[in-house]
Amino acid sequence: MSATRTITIDPVTRIEGHGKITLQLDAHGKLVDAQFHVTQFRGFEKFVEGRPLTEMPSIMARICGICPVSHLMASAKACDALLAVEIPPTAVKLRKLMHLAQLVQSHALSFFHLTSPDLMLGMDADPAIRNVVGLAQKHPELLRDGVALRRFGQEIIALLGGKRIHPAWVVAGGVSDPLGAERRDRIAKEIPQAMAIARRTIDWFKTVIECFTAEIESFANFPSLYMGTVSPEGLLEQYDGVLRFVDADGNIVADNIHANDYQKFIGEAVENWSYLKFPYYLPGGYPAGLYRVGPLARLNVIDRCGTPLADAELEIFRLRAGWPAASSFHFHWARLIEIINALEVMQGLLEAPDILDPFVRARARPNRLEGVGISEAPRGTLIHHYKIDRNGQMVWANLIIATGHNNLAISRGVRQVAERFVDGNKLNEGMLNRVEAVVRCFDPCLSCSTHALGQMALHIELHDAEGRIVDEVRRD
Amino acid sequence: MAKPRIATAWLDGCSGCHMSLLDLDERLLDVLGMVDLVCSPLMDIKEFPEGVDVTLVEGAVSSSEDLHKIQKIRARTKILVSLGDCAVTSNVPGMRNPFKTEQLFARAYDENADYPPATGVSRRPTVQIPVLQRRARPIHELVSVDVFVPGCPPPAEAILYVLTELLAGRIPNPSLLTRFGM
Ligand code: SF4
């Protein structure tokens, strides 16, 4: 049956970047279809043509101001491949350190600044206060923790790279400057406080999770494939490793996928209603090859985290959320576990005997014409694939961005939540906030993919079969 | 006295300028206490309100929607601040300008995609999404701008200085605290 009414939520707010949602209803107010549209196009894959490969990390970082470091990593790794160098071991450790600092700040932003207003103030709270300002008034201690945790990550990025956003320190072949003892000690000194925040937040979260049973049941809760990077030992890994796909029952369906082979497993589909493409698991076909990436997927694909505190939390998580955890609401919980793991790994990196070693950059001219770099951004796998000419100038690029991988799952999740909560005959704002909240679970980064400002009013009119307005919702 | 009404908005940027604002950390909470934040991507207000005193805008004007937004923001804002290099010069979004839109789309949706199978039917997204403008442009090419704050992103200190000066009724000159690209 074709839709007779369309509800538009534009823009989706409290996400990074901009998208909108349309819900199509039939004459009886029943949901026919739901779509999540990404509304901006940026053109990085084309406009880098003719530029020297050495510019790539800095330009590609500007894809996203929230996870620029992950783009730096994927880009620099693609460049390492083009130079055909193995970067010095200390450079690997320093890149990892910065990357994990970013994971902490980005997860903190997603959890505290963007999501916790829904958790603390309620999905049905007044939209005028359901935000950081309302949080500052009602739960200042929680917001302060979030601000402190985000600051922790940002300061480490600045200590290593000279500035908090878009540092130029990660370069083809390694990093530009080694770490000094004084800065190492400053970073190490901050870890205990960050860990204290992370642990009290996860302890609190485990006590409130029961209040969200309805959301857990319907927030993009369906069987699917999951993809993430694992270390050669099958442990949680954000910087380097191999890709693994796991199915809805936890069976490994593809493993040990090297960056260069990504195109054998991942296809990219186009739908005419979104600028963001829809990657799918190639052997599964489109759209059946839907898979999810990001914190939830990473915890689903690994054998263990590999650090004691995070592994203890993972055990509880798998017991209570199931394994593989199918509800996207659990992305939030997974984020908290990843923060704990990141802090533990950072501690270990700082204690490494060679962390202050001055050899941090391999210098070479381009030695290959094609290279792929992969990193795990806070919100999922990033793939940067470049081709250059013999002078080291870019001739072609393909980028698959974290939110792209989740694009199919987000639209399907929006449909599921709308089916559960949106009653086409009696609309209210809280219903629509839940539709947006499912998108927030994925912590999409639409600037990463393409993004737009949206300040059009949320204004929904519901007409009956004769075209009379039977209900109206306005949020402005 | 009523608190000054402040808004923030993003057009075609990377969110980095907004992140730089958040980089005020605890001081951001103090700023939020002094103003009335009436619209921002961090909030659920969907319609840009009337009677805003200061709006910080990140990003270049890249699509029909950006254009529509910036015109509305301009009409409803006393002091419009171009925040960051994308807003001031078009910066990274402007890198696509030497290429035709068709070339950009051909790369993304023909060459770098494999579904639906190529049958000669166009794969271009056209439904429910804004139209891309031929060029990404700095904000002041479209509407008048009162304060320019360069930087990629401008440091948090510079943003704080600009806000403090504006709240005190003075027009800031952030040139000592910022430079392009930084
Ligand atoms: S000026 Fe820089 S930090 Fe700001 S939106 Fe543009 S690319 Fe991002």
mmCIF file with all atom_site columns, all heavy atoms in Angstrom, chain A residues 11 13 18 65 275 277 280 436 453 455 475, chain B residues 10 14 25-26 44 46 107-109 112 114 130:
data_model
loop_
_atom_site.group_PDB
_atom_site.id
_atom_site.type_symbol
_atom_site.label_atom_id
_atom_site.label_alt_id
_atom_site.label_comp_id
_atom_site.label_asym_id
_atom_site.label_entity_id
_atom_site.label_seq_id
_atom_site.pdbx_PDB_ins_code
_atom_site.Cartn_x
_atom_site.Cartn_y
_atom_site.Cartn_z
_atom_site.occupancy
_atom_site.B_iso_or_equiv
_atom_site.pdbx_formal_charge
_atom_site.auth_seq_id
_atom_site.auth_comp_id
_atom_site.auth_asym_id
_atom_site.auth_atom_id
_atom_site.pdbx_PDB_model_num
ATOM 1   N N   . PRO A 1 11  ? 15.988 18.819 11.502  1.00 0.00 ? 11  PRO A N   1
ATOM 2   C CA  . PRO A 1 11  ? 17.032 17.807 11.454  1.00 0.00 ? 11  PRO A CA  1
ATOM 3   C C   . PRO A 1 11  ? 16.903 16.834 12.629  1.00 0.00 ? 11  PRO A C   1
ATOM 4   O O   . PRO A 1 11  ? 16.241 17.142 13.603  1.00 0.00 ? 11  PRO A O   1
ATOM 5   C CB  . PRO A 1 11  ? 18.294 18.648 11.657  1.00 0.00 ? 11  PRO A CB  1
ATOM 6   C CG  . PRO A 1 11  ? 17.846 19.736 12.593  1.00 0.00 ? 11  PRO A CG  1
ATOM 7   C CD  . PRO A 1 11  ? 16.431 20.037 12.201  1.00 0.00 ? 11  PRO A CD  1
ATOM 8   N N   . THR A 1 13  ? 18.473 15.813 15.784  1.00 0.00 ? 13  THR A N   1
ATOM 9   C CA  . THR A 1 13  ? 19.392 16.597 16.619  1.00 0.00 ? 13  THR A CA  1
ATOM 10  C C   . THR A 1 13  ? 20.133 15.721 17.625  1.00 0.00 ? 13  THR A C   1
ATOM 11  O O   . THR A 1 13  ? 19.798 14.571 17.828  1.00 0.00 ? 13  THR A O   1
ATOM 12  C CB  . THR A 1 13  ? 18.625 17.688 17.384  1.00 0.00 ? 13  THR A CB  1
ATOM 13  O OG1 . THR A 1 13  ? 17.434 17.127 17.891  1.00 0.00 ? 13  THR A OG1 1
ATOM 14  C CG2 . THR A 1 13  ? 18.311 18.865 16.490  1.00 0.00 ? 13  THR A CG2 1
ATOM 15  N N   . HIS A 1 18  ? 24.312 16.110 10.262  1.00 0.00 ? 18  HIS A N   1
ATOM 16  C CA  . HIS A 1 18  ? 22.884 16.234 10.071  1.00 0.00 ? 18  HIS A CA  1
ATOM 17  C C   . HIS A 1 18  ? 22.263 15.274 9.104   1.00 0.00 ? 18  HIS A C   1
ATOM 18  O O   . HIS A 1 18  ? 22.810 14.956 8.066   1.00 0.00 ? 18  HIS A O   1
ATOM 19  C CB  . HIS A 1 18  ? 22.520 17.652 9.663   1.00 0.00 ? 18  HIS A CB  1
ATOM 20  C CG  . HIS A 1 18  ? 22.309 18.493 10.869  1.00 0.00 ? 18  HIS A CG  1
ATOM 21  N ND1 . HIS A 1 18  ? 21.111 18.548 11.497  1.00 0.00 ? 18  HIS A ND1 1
ATOM 22  C CD2 . HIS A 1 18  ? 23.172 19.223 11.591  1.00 0.00 ? 18  HIS A CD2 1
ATOM 23  C CE1 . HIS A 1 18  ? 21.230 19.331 12.556  1.00 0.00 ? 18  HIS A CE1 1
ATOM 24  N NE2 . HIS A 1 18  ? 22.478 19.752 12.631  1.00 0.00 ? 18  HIS A NE2 1
ATOM 25  N N   . GLY A 1 65  ? 35.431 16.597 12.583  1.00 0.00 ? 65  GLY A N   1
ATOM 26  C CA  . GLY A 1 65  ? 36.061 17.268 13.717  1.00 0.00 ? 65  GLY A CA  1
ATOM 27  C C   . GLY A 1 65  ? 35.881 16.526 15.025  1.00 0.00 ? 65  GLY A C   1
ATOM 28  O O   . GLY A 1 65  ? 36.387 16.957 16.061  1.00 0.00 ? 65  GLY A O   1
ATOM 29  N N   . TYR A 1 275 ? 22.425 10.830 0.298   1.00 0.00 ? 275 TYR A N   1
ATOM 30  C CA  . TYR A 1 275 ? 23.761 11.024 -0.258  1.00 0.00 ? 275 TYR A CA  1
ATOM 31  C C   . TYR A 1 275 ? 24.745 9.972  0.272   1.00 0.00 ? 275 TYR A C   1
ATOM 32  O O   . TYR A 1 275 ? 25.799 9.755  -0.309  1.00 0.00 ? 275 TYR A O   1
ATOM 33  C CB  . TYR A 1 275 ? 24.298 12.426 0.082   1.00 0.00 ? 275 TYR A CB  1
ATOM 34  C CG  . TYR A 1 275 ? 23.800 13.510 -0.844  1.00 0.00 ? 275 TYR A CG  1
ATOM 35  C CD1 . TYR A 1 275 ? 23.252 14.688 -0.340  1.00 0.00 ? 275 TYR A CD1 1
ATOM 36  C CD2 . TYR A 1 275 ? 23.903 13.374 -2.226  1.00 0.00 ? 275 TYR A CD2 1
ATOM 37  C CE1 . TYR A 1 275 ? 22.810 15.694 -1.191  1.00 0.00 ? 275 TYR A CE1 1
ATOM 38  C CE2 . TYR A 1 275 ? 23.462 14.378 -3.088  1.00 0.00 ? 275 TYR A CE2 1
ATOM 39  C CZ  . TYR A 1 275 ? 22.917 15.537 -2.565  1.00 0.00 ? 275 TYR A CZ  1
ATOM 40  O OH  . TYR A 1 275 ? 22.491 16.527 -3.407  1.00 0.00 ? 275 TYR A OH  1
ATOM 41  N N   . LYS A 1 277 ? 26.038 6.335  0.882   1.00 0.00 ? 277 LYS A N   1
ATOM 42  C CA  . LYS A 1 277 ? 25.824 5.015  0.278   1.00 0.00 ? 277 LYS A CA  1
ATOM 43  C C   . LYS A 1 277 ? 25.564 3.954  1.345   1.00 0.00 ? 277 LYS A C   1
ATOM 44  O O   . LYS A 1 277 ? 25.685 4.206  2.538   1.00 0.00 ? 277 LYS A O   1
ATOM 45  C CB  . LYS A 1 277 ? 27.057 4.643  -0.563  1.00 0.00 ? 277 LYS A CB  1
ATOM 46  C CG  . LYS A 1 277 ? 27.119 5.420  -1.864  1.00 0.00 ? 277 LYS A CG  1
ATOM 47  C CD  . LYS A 1 277 ? 28.318 5.023  -2.714  1.00 0.00 ? 277 LYS A CD  1
ATOM 48  C CE  . LYS A 1 277 ? 29.584 5.697  -2.219  1.00 0.00 ? 277 LYS A CE  1
ATOM 49  N NZ  . LYS A 1 277 ? 30.721 5.467  -3.138  1.00 0.00 ? 277 LYS A NZ  1
ATOM 50  N N   . TYR A 1 280 ? 27.379 -3.126 2.094   1.00 0.00 ? 280 TYR A N   1
ATOM 51  C CA  . TYR A 1 280 ? 26.764 -4.399 2.497   1.00 0.00 ? 280 TYR A CA  1
ATOM 52  C C   . TYR A 1 280 ? 27.799 -5.507 2.359   1.00 0.00 ? 280 TYR A C   1
ATOM 53  O O   . TYR A 1 280 ? 28.792 -5.367 1.638   1.00 0.00 ? 280 TYR A O   1
ATOM 54  C CB  . TYR A 1 280 ? 25.521 -4.691 1.648   1.00 0.00 ? 280 TYR A CB  1
ATOM 55  C CG  . TYR A 1 280 ? 25.790 -4.833 0.162   1.00 0.00 ? 280 TYR A CG  1
ATOM 56  C CD1 . TYR A 1 280 ? 25.870 -6.085 -0.438  1.00 0.00 ? 280 TYR A CD1 1
ATOM 57  C CD2 . TYR A 1 280 ? 25.995 -3.704 -0.639  1.00 0.00 ? 280 TYR A CD2 1
ATOM 58  C CE1 . TYR A 1 280 ? 26.142 -6.219 -1.789  1.00 0.00 ? 280 TYR A CE1 1
ATOM 59  C CE2 . TYR A 1 280 ? 26.276 -3.828 -1.991  1.00 0.00 ? 280 TYR A CE2 1
ATOM 60  C CZ  . TYR A 1 280 ? 26.349 -5.079 -2.557  1.00 0.00 ? 280 TYR A CZ  1
ATOM 61  O OH  . TYR A 1 280 ? 26.631 -5.201 -3.903  1.00 0.00 ? 280 TYR A OH  1
ATOM 62  N N   . GLU A 1 436 ? 14.416 9.481  16.963  1.00 0.00 ? 436 GLU A N   1
ATOM 63  C CA  . GLU A 1 436 ? 15.751 10.077 16.840  1.00 0.00 ? 436 GLU A CA  1
ATOM 64  C C   . GLU A 1 436 ? 16.756 9.370  17.732  1.00 0.00 ? 436 GLU A C   1
ATOM 65  O O   . GLU A 1 436 ? 17.940 9.255  17.392  1.00 0.00 ? 436 GLU A O   1
ATOM 66  C CB  . GLU A 1 436 ? 15.708 11.556 17.238  1.00 0.00 ? 436 GLU A CB  1
ATOM 67  C CG  . GLU A 1 436 ? 14.937 12.428 16.275  1.00 0.00 ? 436 GLU A CG  1
ATOM 68  C CD  . GLU A 1 436 ? 14.998 13.884 16.720  1.00 0.00 ? 436 GLU A CD  1
ATOM 69  O OE1 . GLU A 1 436 ? 16.046 14.500 16.528  1.00 0.00 ? 436 GLU A OE1 1
ATOM 70  O OE2 . GLU A 1 436 ? 14.006 14.370 17.289  1.00 0.00 ? 436 GLU A OE2 1
ATOM 71  N N   . LEU A 1 453 ? 23.294 21.194 7.794   1.00 0.00 ? 453 LEU A N   1
ATOM 72  C CA  . LEU A 1 453 ? 22.561 21.846 8.859   1.00 0.00 ? 453 LEU A CA  1
ATOM 73  C C   . LEU A 1 453 ? 21.091 21.684 8.555   1.00 0.00 ? 453 LEU A C   1
ATOM 74  O O   . LEU A 1 453 ? 20.673 21.738 7.429   1.00 0.00 ? 453 LEU A O   1
ATOM 75  C CB  . LEU A 1 453 ? 22.884 23.336 8.847   1.00 0.00 ? 453 LEU A CB  1
ATOM 76  C CG  . LEU A 1 453 ? 21.946 24.220 9.654   1.00 0.00 ? 453 LEU A CG  1
ATOM 77  C CD1 . LEU A 1 453 ? 22.319 24.185 11.115  1.00 0.00 ? 453 LEU A CD1 1
ATOM 78  C CD2 . LEU A 1 453 ? 21.989 25.633 9.142   1.00 0.00 ? 453 LEU A CD2 1
ATOM 79  N N   . GLN A 1 455 ? 17.546 23.339 10.011  1.00 0.00 ? 455 GLN A N   1
ATOM 80  C CA  . GLN A 1 455 ? 16.815 24.066 11.023  1.00 0.00 ? 455 GLN A CA  1
ATOM 81  C C   . GLN A 1 455 ? 15.373 24.216 10.629  1.00 0.00 ? 455 GLN A C   1
ATOM 82  O O   . GLN A 1 455 ? 14.677 25.082 11.108  1.00 0.00 ? 455 GLN A O   1
ATOM 83  C CB  . GLN A 1 455 ? 17.457 25.421 11.286  1.00 0.00 ? 455 GLN A CB  1
ATOM 84  C CG  . GLN A 1 455 ? 18.574 25.288 12.298  1.00 0.00 ? 455 GLN A CG  1
ATOM 85  C CD  . GLN A 1 455 ? 19.636 26.301 12.102  1.00 0.00 ? 455 GLN A CD  1
ATOM 86  O OE1 . GLN A 1 455 ? 19.764 26.897 11.058  1.00 0.00 ? 455 GLN A OE1 1
ATOM 87  N NE2 . GLN A 1 455 ? 20.421 26.524 13.131  1.00 0.00 ? 455 GLN A NE2 1
ATOM 88  N N   . ARG A 1 475 ? 7.528  21.298 17.012  1.00 0.00 ? 475 ARG A N   1
ATOM 89  C CA  . ARG A 1 475 ? 8.625  21.465 17.953  1.00 0.00 ? 475 ARG A CA  1
ATOM 90  C C   . ARG A 1 475 ? 9.453  22.627 17.434  1.00 0.00 ? 475 ARG A C   1
ATOM 91  O O   . ARG A 1 475 ? 10.100 22.536 16.408  1.00 0.00 ? 475 ARG A O   1
ATOM 92  C CB  . ARG A 1 475 ? 9.485  20.206 17.997  1.00 0.00 ? 475 ARG A CB  1
ATOM 93  C CG  . ARG A 1 475 ? 10.557 20.269 19.075  1.00 0.00 ? 475 ARG A CG  1
ATOM 94  C CD  . ARG A 1 475 ? 11.643 19.279 18.810  1.00 0.00 ? 475 ARG A CD  1
ATOM 95  N NE  . ARG A 1 475 ? 11.256 17.911 19.099  1.00 0.00 ? 475 ARG A NE  1
ATOM 96  C CZ  . ARG A 1 475 ? 11.998 16.874 18.721  1.00 0.00 ? 475 ARG A CZ  1
ATOM 97  N NH1 . ARG A 1 475 ? 13.102 17.061 18.053  1.00 0.00 ? 475 ARG A NH1 1
ATOM 98  N NH2 . ARG A 1 475 ? 11.609 15.663 18.995  1.00 0.00 ? 475 ARG A NH2 1
ATOM 99  N N   . TRP B 2 10  ? 25.493 24.830 12.167  1.00 0.00 ? 10  TRP B N   1
ATOM 100 C CA  . TRP B 2 10  ? 26.514 24.362 11.224  1.00 0.00 ? 10  TRP B CA  1
ATOM 101 C C   . TRP B 2 10  ? 25.945 24.192 9.824   1.00 0.00 ? 10  TRP B C   1
ATOM 102 O O   . TRP B 2 10  ? 24.835 23.765 9.612   1.00 0.00 ? 10  TRP B O   1
ATOM 103 C CB  . TRP B 2 10  ? 27.251 23.131 11.709  1.00 0.00 ? 10  TRP B CB  1
ATOM 104 C CG  . TRP B 2 10  ? 26.488 21.920 12.131  1.00 0.00 ? 10  TRP B CG  1
ATOM 105 C CD1 . TRP B 2 10  ? 25.306 21.445 11.641  1.00 0.00 ? 10  TRP B CD1 1
ATOM 106 C CD2 . TRP B 2 10  ? 26.882 21.003 13.157  1.00 0.00 ? 10  TRP B CD2 1
ATOM 107 N NE1 . TRP B 2 10  ? 24.970 20.288 12.292  1.00 0.00 ? 10  TRP B NE1 1
ATOM 108 C CE2 . TRP B 2 10  ? 25.903 19.989 13.219  1.00 0.00 ? 10  TRP B CE2 1
ATOM 109 C CE3 . TRP B 2 10  ? 28.000 20.918 14.017  1.00 0.00 ? 10  TRP B CE3 1
ATOM 110 C CZ2 . TRP B 2 10  ? 25.989 18.928 14.116  1.00 0.00 ? 10  TRP B CZ2 1
ATOM 111 C CZ3 . TRP B 2 10  ? 28.073 19.855 14.898  1.00 0.00 ? 10  TRP B CZ3 1
ATOM 112 C CH2 . TRP B 2 10  ? 27.077 18.888 14.945  1.00 0.00 ? 10  TRP B CH2 1
ATOM 113 N N   . CYS B 2 14  ? 32.951 20.344 9.423   1.00 0.00 ? 14  CYS B N   1
ATOM 114 C CA  . CYS B 2 14  ? 33.260 19.000 9.929   1.00 0.00 ? 14  CYS B CA  1
ATOM 115 C C   . CYS B 2 14  ? 32.866 18.839 11.379  1.00 0.00 ? 14  CYS B C   1
ATOM 116 O O   . CYS B 2 14  ? 33.212 17.839 11.994  1.00 0.00 ? 14  CYS B O   1
ATOM 117 C CB  . CYS B 2 14  ? 34.742 18.713 9.749   1.00 0.00 ? 14  CYS B CB  1
ATOM 118 S SG  . CYS B 2 14  ? 35.783 19.505 10.986  1.00 0.00 ? 14  CYS B SG  1
ATOM 119 N N   . ASP B 2 25  ? 35.693 23.234 27.850  1.00 0.00 ? 25  ASP B N   1
ATOM 120 C CA  . ASP B 2 25  ? 35.554 22.330 28.997  1.00 0.00 ? 25  ASP B CA  1
ATOM 121 C C   . ASP B 2 25  ? 34.668 22.943 30.079  1.00 0.00 ? 25  ASP B C   1
ATOM 122 O O   . ASP B 2 25  ? 33.588 23.416 29.782  1.00 0.00 ? 25  ASP B O   1
ATOM 123 C CB  . ASP B 2 25  ? 36.936 21.963 29.576  1.00 0.00 ? 25  ASP B CB  1
ATOM 124 C CG  . ASP B 2 25  ? 37.837 21.335 28.527  1.00 0.00 ? 25  ASP B CG  1
ATOM 125 O OD1 . ASP B 2 25  ? 37.324 20.654 27.634  1.00 0.00 ? 25  ASP B OD1 1
ATOM 126 O OD2 . ASP B 2 25  ? 39.062 21.555 28.599  1.00 0.00 ? 25  ASP B OD2 1
ATOM 127 N N   . GLU B 2 26  ? 35.165 22.936 31.318  1.00 0.00 ? 26  GLU B N   1
ATOM 128 C CA  . GLU B 2 26  ? 34.352 23.428 32.436  1.00 0.00 ? 26  GLU B CA  1
ATOM 129 C C   . GLU B 2 26  ? 33.926 24.886 32.235  1.00 0.00 ? 26  GLU B C   1
ATOM 130 O O   . GLU B 2 26  ? 32.867 25.292 32.704  1.00 0.00 ? 26  GLU B O   1
ATOM 131 C CB  . GLU B 2 26  ? 35.096 23.288 33.770  1.00 0.00 ? 26  GLU B CB  1
ATOM 132 C CG  . GLU B 2 26  ? 35.141 21.863 34.324  1.00 0.00 ? 26  GLU B CG  1
ATOM 133 C CD  . GLU B 2 26  ? 36.187 20.964 33.661  1.00 0.00 ? 26  GLU B CD  1
ATOM 134 O OE1 . GLU B 2 26  ? 36.900 21.440 32.747  1.00 0.00 ? 26  GLU B OE1 1
ATOM 135 O OE2 . GLU B 2 26  ? 36.282 19.779 34.046  1.00 0.00 ? 26  GLU B OE2 1
ATOM 136 N N   . ASP B 2 44  ? 17.388 20.123 20.912  1.00 0.00 ? 44  ASP B N   1
ATOM 137 C CA  . ASP B 2 44  ? 16.317 19.572 20.078  1.00 0.00 ? 44  ASP B CA  1
ATOM 138 C C   . ASP B 2 44  ? 15.396 20.629 19.477  1.00 0.00 ? 44  ASP B C   1
ATOM 139 O O   . ASP B 2 44  ? 14.306 20.296 19.013  1.00 0.00 ? 44  ASP B O   1
ATOM 140 C CB  . ASP B 2 44  ? 15.481 18.581 20.899  1.00 0.00 ? 44  ASP B CB  1
ATOM 141 C CG  . ASP B 2 44  ? 16.261 17.304 21.180  1.00 0.00 ? 44  ASP B CG  1
ATOM 142 O OD1 . ASP B 2 44  ? 17.260 17.075 20.480  1.00 0.00 ? 44  ASP B OD1 1
ATOM 143 O OD2 . ASP B 2 44  ? 15.883 16.568 22.093  1.00 0.00 ? 44  ASP B OD2 1
ATOM 144 N N   . LYS B 2 46  ? 14.131 22.651 16.619  1.00 0.00 ? 46  LYS B N   1
ATOM 145 C CA  . LYS B 2 46  ? 14.296 22.400 15.183  1.00 0.00 ? 46  LYS B CA  1
ATOM 146 C C   . LYS B 2 46  ? 14.147 23.663 14.334  1.00 0.00 ? 46  LYS B C   1
ATOM 147 O O   . LYS B 2 46  ? 14.622 23.710 13.211  1.00 0.00 ? 46  LYS B O   1
ATOM 148 C CB  . LYS B 2 46  ? 13.265 21.378 14.701  1.00 0.00 ? 46  LYS B CB  1
ATOM 149 C CG  . LYS B 2 46  ? 13.186 20.125 15.541  1.00 0.00 ? 46  LYS B CG  1
ATOM 150 C CD  . LYS B 2 46  ? 14.268 19.121 15.198  1.00 0.00 ? 46  LYS B CD  1
ATOM 151 C CE  . LYS B 2 46  ? 14.141 17.883 16.072  1.00 0.00 ? 46  LYS B CE  1
ATOM 152 N NZ  . LYS B 2 46  ? 15.206 16.930 15.914  1.00 0.00 ? 46  LYS B NZ  1
ATOM 153 N N   . ARG B 2 107 ? 32.195 9.888  -9.575  1.00 0.00 ? 107 ARG B N   1
ATOM 154 C CA  . ARG B 2 107 ? 33.134 9.138  -8.747  1.00 0.00 ? 107 ARG B CA  1
ATOM 155 C C   . ARG B 2 107 ? 32.404 8.379  -7.642  1.00 0.00 ? 107 ARG B C   1
ATOM 156 O O   . ARG B 2 107 ? 32.603 7.184  -7.431  1.00 0.00 ? 107 ARG B O   1
ATOM 157 C CB  . ARG B 2 107 ? 34.170 10.113 -8.159  1.00 0.00 ? 107 ARG B CB  1
ATOM 158 C CG  . ARG B 2 107 ? 35.094 9.552  -7.094  1.00 0.00 ? 107 ARG B CG  1
ATOM 159 C CD  . ARG B 2 107 ? 36.013 8.437  -7.573  1.00 0.00 ? 107 ARG B CD  1
ATOM 160 N NE  . ARG B 2 107 ? 36.710 8.660  -8.811  1.00 0.00 ? 107 ARG B NE  1
ATOM 161 C CZ  . ARG B 2 107 ? 37.844 9.363  -8.927  1.00 0.00 ? 107 ARG B CZ  1
ATOM 162 N NH1 . ARG B 2 107 ? 38.410 9.889  -7.867  1.00 0.00 ? 107 ARG B NH1 1
ATOM 163 N NH2 . ARG B 2 107 ? 38.418 9.527  -10.089 1.00 0.00 ? 107 ARG B NH2 1
ATOM 164 N N   . ALA B 2 108 ? 31.534 9.088  -6.930  1.00 0.00 ? 108 ALA B N   1
ATOM 165 C CA  . ALA B 2 108 ? 30.910 8.487  -5.742  1.00 0.00 ? 108 ALA B CA  1
ATOM 166 C C   . ALA B 2 108 ? 29.883 7.419  -6.098  1.00 0.00 ? 108 ALA B C   1
ATOM 167 O O   . ALA B 2 108 ? 29.840 6.363  -5.463  1.00 0.00 ? 108 ALA B O   1
ATOM 168 C CB  . ALA B 2 108 ? 30.265 9.576  -4.884  1.00 0.00 ? 108 ALA B CB  1
ATOM 169 N N   . TYR B 2 109 ? 29.053 7.711  -7.089  1.00 0.00 ? 109 TYR B N   1
ATOM 170 C CA  . TYR B 2 109 ? 27.881 6.844  -7.282  1.00 0.00 ? 109 TYR B CA  1
ATOM 171 C C   . TYR B 2 109 ? 27.973 5.920  -8.491  1.00 0.00 ? 109 TYR B C   1
ATOM 172 O O   . TYR B 2 109 ? 27.183 4.994  -8.619  1.00 0.00 ? 109 TYR B O   1
ATOM 173 C CB  . TYR B 2 109 ? 26.609 7.698  -7.348  1.00 0.00 ? 109 TYR B CB  1
ATOM 174 C CG  . TYR B 2 109 ? 26.427 8.535  -6.099  1.00 0.00 ? 109 TYR B CG  1
ATOM 175 C CD1 . TYR B 2 109 ? 26.451 9.926  -6.143  1.00 0.00 ? 109 TYR B CD1 1
ATOM 176 C CD2 . TYR B 2 109 ? 26.276 7.922  -4.856  1.00 0.00 ? 109 TYR B CD2 1
ATOM 177 C CE1 . TYR B 2 109 ? 26.306 10.685 -4.986  1.00 0.00 ? 109 TYR B CE1 1
ATOM 178 C CE2 . TYR B 2 109 ? 26.139 8.667  -3.692  1.00 0.00 ? 109 TYR B CE2 1
ATOM 179 C CZ  . TYR B 2 109 ? 26.156 10.058 -3.762  1.00 0.00 ? 109 TYR B CZ  1
ATOM 180 O OH  . TYR B 2 109 ? 26.035 10.793 -2.622  1.00 0.00 ? 109 TYR B OH  1
ATOM 181 N N   . ASN B 2 112 ? 32.550 4.227  -7.721  1.00 0.00 ? 112 ASN B N   1
ATOM 182 C CA  . ASN B 2 112 ? 32.772 3.624  -6.408  1.00 0.00 ? 112 ASN B CA  1
ATOM 183 C C   . ASN B 2 112 ? 31.484 3.040  -5.824  1.00 0.00 ? 112 ASN B C   1
ATOM 184 O O   . ASN B 2 112 ? 31.211 3.198  -4.644  1.00 0.00 ? 112 ASN B O   1
ATOM 185 C CB  . ASN B 2 112 ? 33.369 4.651  -5.438  1.00 0.00 ? 112 ASN B CB  1
ATOM 186 C CG  . ASN B 2 112 ? 34.759 5.105  -5.874  1.00 0.00 ? 112 ASN B CG  1
ATOM 187 O OD1 . ASN B 2 112 ? 35.301 4.603  -6.842  1.00 0.00 ? 112 ASN B OD1 1
ATOM 188 N ND2 . ASN B 2 112 ? 35.325 6.039  -5.135  1.00 0.00 ? 112 ASN B ND2 1
ATOM 189 N N   . ASP B 2 114 ? 28.546 -0.469 -6.540  1.00 0.00 ? 114 ASP B N   1
ATOM 190 C CA  . ASP B 2 114 ? 28.329 -1.644 -7.373  1.00 0.00 ? 114 ASP B CA  1
ATOM 191 C C   . ASP B 2 114 ? 26.874 -2.106 -7.387  1.00 0.00 ? 114 ASP B C   1
ATOM 192 O O   . ASP B 2 114 ? 26.544 -3.151 -7.905  1.00 0.00 ? 114 ASP B O   1
ATOM 193 C CB  . ASP B 2 114 ? 29.221 -2.798 -6.912  1.00 0.00 ? 114 ASP B CB  1
ATOM 194 C CG  . ASP B 2 114 ? 29.071 -3.052 -5.431  1.00 0.00 ? 114 ASP B CG  1
ATOM 195 O OD1 . ASP B 2 114 ? 27.920 -3.153 -4.961  1.00 0.00 ? 114 ASP B OD1 1
ATOM 196 O OD2 . ASP B 2 114 ? 30.099 -3.125 -4.732  1.00 0.00 ? 114 ASP B OD2 1
ATOM 197 N N   . PRO B 2 130 ? 18.701 17.850 -0.287  1.00 0.00 ? 130 PRO B N   1
ATOM 198 C CA  . PRO B 2 130 ? 18.905 19.155 -0.906  1.00 0.00 ? 130 PRO B CA  1
ATOM 199 C C   . PRO B 2 130 ? 19.820 19.077 -2.132  1.00 0.00 ? 130 PRO B C   1
ATOM 200 O O   . PRO B 2 130 ? 20.625 18.157 -2.249  1.00 0.00 ? 130 PRO B O   1
ATOM 201 C CB  . PRO B 2 130 ? 19.571 19.977 0.206   1.00 0.00 ? 130 PRO B CB  1
ATOM 202 C CG  . PRO B 2 130 ? 20.059 19.008 1.201   1.00 0.00 ? 130 PRO B CG  1
ATOM 203 C CD  . PRO B 2 130 ? 19.324 17.728 1.028   1.00 0.00 ? 130 PRO B CD  1
#
